[in-house]
Amino acid sequence: MKKILLPTDFSNNAFHALTSASELLKNEECQFFVLNVFTEKKGFKSDSIEDAKERKLQNWKEEATTRLERFVNRIKKQGENQKHTYKLLAKRKDLIHAIDKLVDKLDIDLIVMGNKGKKSSIPLFLGKTATQTLHHVNKCAVLTIAKNTSYAVPKQIAFVTDLKKSFTANDMEPLKHIALLNGTPIQIVHIDEKEQMDKSQQSNLDELLSYLKPTETAVHHMPNFISKAKIIEVFIKETGIDMLVMVNNKHGFLEKMLREPIIEKMVFNIDIPFLVIPEKS
């Protein structure tokens, strides 16, 4: 059974993330841990939690639990999936700290988050909470769902890489699992920084293709003529990609792209699910 952690602030954006994940994993036995965190800054009242009495803290936890029940009941009313179960978690902690602890404690396979980011450059596209999660929680895959997207099971997945680092079968398991679960082809997008791949890159590509079998794959070599973010946007628009995937290596491709400067008047417009896989090798 897959264990899914979904943080929520009870917004429509968070509910959209839950319904999208439920659809993506509709044929998978899953336990969804739906988390709401109340803190001094984001409690239901303006009072300081540190100065509140235990009774008020308990009231806030009860209110959070009630709202979590309503939140989950919304998805059940749309058509309950017998393969999916839900556990409600109301925690008094910092959100990123709570996520980090729960991933270990519950052996979480996937974090699903609604994406509130704006349409410009990858850090803003992801939004502050999603970006912080990627920086501080690199123990399991993170799936962000764009808030304005009408979601369906992906028909084409793009896996973007510069092939400078090798992969393991363990690294590729989340991508391969989703592709096989939904019968979705994987388009490997290699952004070339040189005219030809070197021997190391070719070896990494060969290993990657081996690890992804028996999924249907194709390889695309894209010249690095503008920012990497813009290259990805162009490829997605031209090929009808409806899920984007990258590996979160330390000092790797995604980390470098997160640091790309915002180019004035250039919009990074990707309204599709974005899966980030941790490097476990």
Side-chain angles (χ1 to χ4, degrees):
M1 176 180 289
K2 292 293 182 182
K3 296 182 178 181
I4 316 299
L5 178 63
L6 189 137
T8 179
D9 57 0
F10 308 116
S11 65
N12 288 332
N13 184 36
F15 182 71
H16 179 58
L18 177 58
T19 56
S20 298
S22 299
E23 179 65 16
L24 177 68
L25 301 169
K26 63 183 178 182
N27 297 319
E28 181 92 22
E29 289 192 2
C30 298
Q31 184 170 24
F32 287 87
F33 294 88
V34 186
L35 168 70
N36 177 252
V37 171
F38 52 96
T39 69
E40 180 179 355
K41 293 182 179 179
K42 293 186 178 180
F44 297 114
K45 307 291 183 183
S46 61
D47 307 79
S48 169
I49 285 184
E50 279 67 27
D51 297 331
K53 294 180 180 179
E54 189 63 31
R55 180 173 55 83
K56 183 169 286 189
L57 282 174
Q58 185 61 32
N59 289 341
W60 285 355
K61 184 171 183 178
E62 289 174 1
E63 186 172 349
T65 301
T66 298
R67 297 182 74 181
L68 282 167
E69 289 172 351
R70 292 172 183 166
F71 184 81
V72 169
N73 283 337
R74 287 178 65 189
I75 188 72
K76 291 181 178 180
K77 287 179 181 178
Q78 291 186 356
E80 193 162 359
N81 187 332
Q82 297 300 319
K83 293 185 177 182
H84 293 175
T85 59
Y86 302 89
K87 184 173 178 61
L88 312 181
L89 303 173
K91 299 289 183 180
R92 175 200 168 190
K93 283 184 180 180
D94 170 76
L95 177 60
I96 303 303
H97 178 71
I99 291 173
D100 189 44
K101 292 295 183 182
L102 287 170
V103 166
D104 283 332
K105 181 180 179 180
L106 302 174
D107 195 22
I108 295 296
D109 297 297
L110 176 68
I111 300 168
V112 178
M113 308 184 73
N115 180 11
K116 295 181 179 179
K118 299 178 181 178
K119 297 176 182 177
S120 61
S121 93
I122 283 219
L124 293 179
F125 157 71
L126 284 175
K128 181 179 178 181
T129 301
T131 302
Q132 287 180 340
T133 303
L134 294 180
H135 279 309
H136 298 287
V137 185
N138 195 21
K139 301 171 185 176
C140 71
V142 179
L143 176 65
T144 67
I145 307 292
K147 61 182 179 180
N148 294 322
T149 246
S150 57
Y151 184 74
V153 171
K155 297 179 180 178
Q156 295 283 341
I157 297 174
F159 175 57
V160 181
T161 176
D162 57 9
L163 294 172
K164 289 185 176 180
K165 291 195 173 185
S166 61
F167 304 105
T168 67
N170 198 28
D171 292 333
M172 292 296 101
E173 194 279 333
L175 169 59
K176 181 176 178 179
H177 182 80
I178 288 176
L180 290 176
L181 186 65
N182 297 286
T184 309
I186 300 172
Q187 310 300 324
I188 300 170
V189 184
H190 169 229
I191 298 181
D192 297 307
E193 295 182 352
K194 300 177 181 179
E195 289 187 5
Q196 291 185 336
M197 291 189 298
D198 58 31
K199 290 183 179 180
S200 176
Q201 287 175 309
Q202 184 61 58
S203 175
N204 292 339
L205 176 60
D206 292 341
E207 286 186 341
L208 175 61
L209 291 171
S210 175
Y211 295 143
L212 291 177
K213 289 180 179 178
T215 57
E216 180 183 342
T217 56
V219 180
H220 307 265
H221 298 280
M222 303 290 289
N224 191 21
F225 58 92
I226 47 178
S227 82
K228 295 177 178 63
K230 192 64 179 178
I231 293 169
I232 294 168
E233 181 186 357
V234 169
F235 181 82
I236 287 173
K237 286 183 176 179
E238 289 183 350
T239 56
I241 295 295
D242 40 23
M243 177 178 282
L244 175 64
V245 182
M246 295 186 198
V247 171
N248 191 12
N249 324 80
K250 187 175 182 180
H251 308 306
F253 181 75
L254 176 59
E255 184 176 300
K256 291 177 182 177
M257 196 166 68
L258 285 169
R259 294 176 179 173
E260 279 193 342
I262 298 174
I263 299 175
E264 187 176 0
K265 297 182 180 179
M266 191 199 83
V267 176
F268 184 55
N269 184 6
I270 299 181
D271 280 340
I272 59 175
F274 184 24
L275 177 68
V276 179
I277 301 171
E279 183 183 33
K280 296 182 180 179
S281 51

